[in-house]
Amino acid sequence: MTVYTVNPELDLVLERRVDVAPELVWRAWTTPELLMQWFSPKPWSTVACEIDLRPGGRFDTTMRSPEGQEFPSSGCILAVDEGSTLVFTSALGPGFRPLVTEDGFPFTAVVRIEPDGAGTKYTAIAIHADASAKKSHEEMGFHEGWGAALDQLVDVVKAR
């Protein structure tokens, strides 16, 4: 796996240590039924998910707002290092097909899962094309939202 170097001008990073095993964090990220339980910060929910865990594969989710409005998102998996790294983007669809979007901003996510004692060092990086996209994502609540989703992931894994 190619190591990605964070660009602080364009990227957002969430890094935490969690007290669940890395293989459970990986499973929560790569099993649609599990991902739907934690991926959207409450009171939002994830009502659909399709993952084809291979480069060029589908990474699609649909989030539902508390008011019932649905927000489908299609993406493409770029890289998979089983158990440790998942890279996907909203700029491409399955088969690396470029997507045409009317709103929002495309980004690429790098999720790293590393053993850390009895737990996991978890790093999520959102890579943006320009500073305005990074700012928009940050103002949408990247750190709060991805942090809350990680807390939910830990709760789901511990409850199993």
Side-chain angles (χ1 to χ4, degrees):
M1 176 95 233
T2 301
V3 175
Y4 177 75
T5 302
V6 172
N7 178 339
E9 299 296 318
L10 303 176
D11 305 335
L12 297 168
V13 179
L14 173 72
E15 184 175 279
R16 291 205 350 226
R17 284 164 174 70
V18 294
D19 64 347
V20 295
E23 58 271 12
L24 298 177
V25 176
W26 180 259
R27 191 173 311 136
W29 259 104
T30 58
T31 306
E33 298 77 25
L34 290 176
L35 186 134
M36 289 172 57
Q37 296 176 47
W38 65 265
F39 190 69
S40 299
K42 293 180 190 306
W44 287 63
S45 60
T46 301
V47 297
C49 176
E50 187 177 343
I51 300 171
D52 180 5
L53 194 59
R54 62 181 178 81
R58 179 179 303 278
F59 190 91
D60 293 353
T61 59
T62 300
M63 293 184 178
R64 182 179 291 150
S65 73
E67 298 76 31
Q69 188 175 6
E70 293 192 356
F71 297 87
S73 175
S74 184
C76 180
I77 294 175
L78 300 175
V80 178
D81 188 0
E82 186 70 31
S84 69
T85 306
L86 175 65
V87 182
F88 62 94
T89 186
S90 61
L92 300 172
F96 305 107
R97 177 83 40 206
L99 292 173
V100 177
T101 60
E102 295 178 19
D103 56 325
F105 47 85
F107 69 95
T108 297
V110 177
V111 178
R112 291 189 186 132
I113 299 166
E114 303 170 64
D116 184 45
T120 300
K121 179 183 174 190
Y122 175 91
T123 306
I125 305 166
I127 303 169
H128 303 89
D130 57 36
S132 67
K134 174 194 174 191
K135 182 179 180 196
S136 293
H137 201 175
E138 192 166 33
E139 289 174 351
M140 280 177 65
F142 168 82
H143 290 99
E144 298 82 2
W146 283 58
L150 178 59
D151 292 339
Q152 292 168 183
L153 179 155
V154 169
D155 291 344
V156 165
V157 167
K158 285 183 172 183
R160 292 182 56 86

